Amino acid sequence: METKKVWFITGASKGLGLALVKKLLEKNYRVVATSRNSQSLISEIGETSENFLPLEVNLTDNEDVKAAISKSIDHFGRLDVIVNNAGYGQIGTLEELTDKEARANFDINVFGTLNVIRNAMPHLREQRSGHIFNISSIGGYSGNFPGWGIYCSTKFAVAGLTEALAEEIKDFGVKATVVYPGYFRTDFLSKDSIKTPENVIQEYETARNSEQSHLDEINGNQPNDPGKGAEALIAISEEQNPPVHFLLGSGTSDFLDNKIKIITDDAEKWENLTLSTVI
């Protein structure tokens, strides 16, 4: 009988992360689930078992992440799939957000991801197999959302580091995929899950309108089902040659097409100036 893979998932207490944990356990995979509060995981899923290990982890603390990876391997003997899902949305224009607010968003969304990669890769490299999923956002491909600049920039960073990671680790038989989810029916846009700026500048009317439409209109009406999103990720994990870039959910291809058109149009319009730099 084939032994099921061991998954390590951050940000697993809610949203897409929680949906993924539940789907995996239904399919008899073995799962390490991390959160800032392990009790939230136990309340949703249950206590530690032969297939489930809930861990309380501070992703911004490299030593804490290192310890979590060690505990996971001690419990299951190996790791096969890493899902860097933890993150939060920070609303606010670039002028409004303080240095502290901006850095805090990068600390979780980017540097927390790097801490996991840094500590998981020695094990994946040694066993010559594995798959790392880094959860970005469609806002990590198309950043033209006023009031979401810092959040989008963290997700652009996740996409960029995943592209490099995929090239760095392929010789070890390890895969990397950046996932761009669209709008999923999770609590990501709820007031308890998203941060707003401490110092609001009312003159930014376009940003305020964008923020309010997300919080009041889009929230709760997202078209995509997180359970089906989880099933898609599981299917990708079983592919021999998985994609480096994976658009997840309806509506994401529209952002892809629009971004390609914008860049292509700009490149064609300004080609003469571009080529004028040639001696």
Side-chain angles (χ1 to χ4, degrees):
M1 181 178 178
E2 182 185 0
T3 302
K4 288 287 190 175
K5 292 178 179 177
V6 179
W7 289 60
F8 182 99
I9 304 168
T10 70
S13 63
K14 57 186 176 181
L16 184 60
L18 179 59
L20 181 56
V21 171
K22 289 181 176 179
K23 285 290 181 182
L24 287 166
L25 291 174
E26 285 176 12
K27 296 175 181 290
N28 294 317
Y29 287 89
R30 295 173 291 170
V31 181
V32 181
T34 83
S35 176
R36 289 171 295 177
N37 180 359
S38 60
Q39 191 56 49
S40 62
L41 292 168
I42 294 170
S43 297
E44 286 282 354
I45 306 296
E47 299 283 350
T48 299
S49 68
E50 61 180 3
N51 282 341
F52 179 61
L53 177 63
L55 293 177
E56 190 167 304
V57 181
N58 176 5
L59 293 177
T60 65
D61 184 336
N62 183 68
E63 292 305 310
D64 204 27
V65 174
K66 184 177 182 179
I69 295 290
S70 294
K71 290 175 186 175
S72 302
I73 293 172
D74 287 343
H75 189 78
F76 288 121
R78 62 184 290 121
L79 291 175
D80 298 293
V81 184
I82 308 294
V83 182
N84 284 303
N85 174 67
Y88 70 92
Q90 174 67 65
I91 292 178
T93 66
L94 299 182
E95 181 185 353
E96 288 171 321
L97 293 179
T98 63
D99 179 74
K100 181 179 179 180
E101 288 173 304
R103 288 178 184 273
N105 206 201
F106 271 86
D107 279 344
I108 294 294
N109 294 10
V110 180
F111 293 106
T113 292
L114 288 172
N115 284 343
V116 174
I117 292 169
R118 183 183 305 111
N119 289 290
M121 266 310 301
H123 304 281
L124 302 183
R125 181 162 44 83
E126 182 179 3
Q127 69 191 26
R128 313 287 296 186
S129 66
H131 193 163
I132 298 175
F133 286 94
N134 293 327
I135 308 300
S136 177
S137 163
I138 198 60
Y141 177 78
S142 181
N144 55 342
F145 298 92
W148 295 83
I150 288 297
Y151 172 73
C152 287
S153 67
T154 68
K155 294 305 187 178
F156 266 79
V158 168
L161 68 88
T162 307
E163 288 187 353
L165 180 67
E167 292 299 314
E168 293 169 354
I169 64 180
K170 64 182 182 182
D171 290 343
F172 308 119
V174 184
K175 314 296 184 183
T177 299
V178 55
V179 181
Y180 303 95
Y183 290 109
F184 277 80
R185 288 189 303 279
T186 69
D187 58 1
F188 175 75
L189 291 175
S190 68
K191 290 180 171 58
D192 293 332
S193 299
I194 207 158
K195 294 189 178 182
T196 54
E198 295 176 2
N199 305 306
V200 175
I201 301 174
Q202 293 300 337
E203 286 88 340
Y204 282 106
E205 293 184 14
T206 301
R208 294 290 87 78
N209 291 337
S210 173
E211 293 163 7
Q212 289 308 310
S213 69
H214 278 81
L215 295 175
D216 298 335
E217 298 169 23
I218 297 175
N219 184 33
N221 297 305
Q222 298 97 322
N224 294 297
D225 178 355
K228 292 183 177 179
E231 290 178 347
L233 293 180
I234 295 170
I236 290 291
S237 77
E238 296 297 342
E239 292 290 329
Q240 289 296 315
N241 296 295
V244 174
H245 299 270
F246 181 54
L247 296 171
L248 182 62
S250 67
T252 50
S253 60
D254 293 338
F255 288 99
L256 173 69
D257 294 341
N258 290 339
K259 180 69 175 281
I260 291 173
K261 183 178 187 306
I262 289 169
I263 294 177
T264 301
D265 289 349
D266 281 348
E268 292 175 350
K269 181 177 180 179
W270 301 102
E271 184 177 14
N272 289 339
L273 280 178
T274 300
L275 298 178
S276 70
T277 60
V278 178
I279 297 175

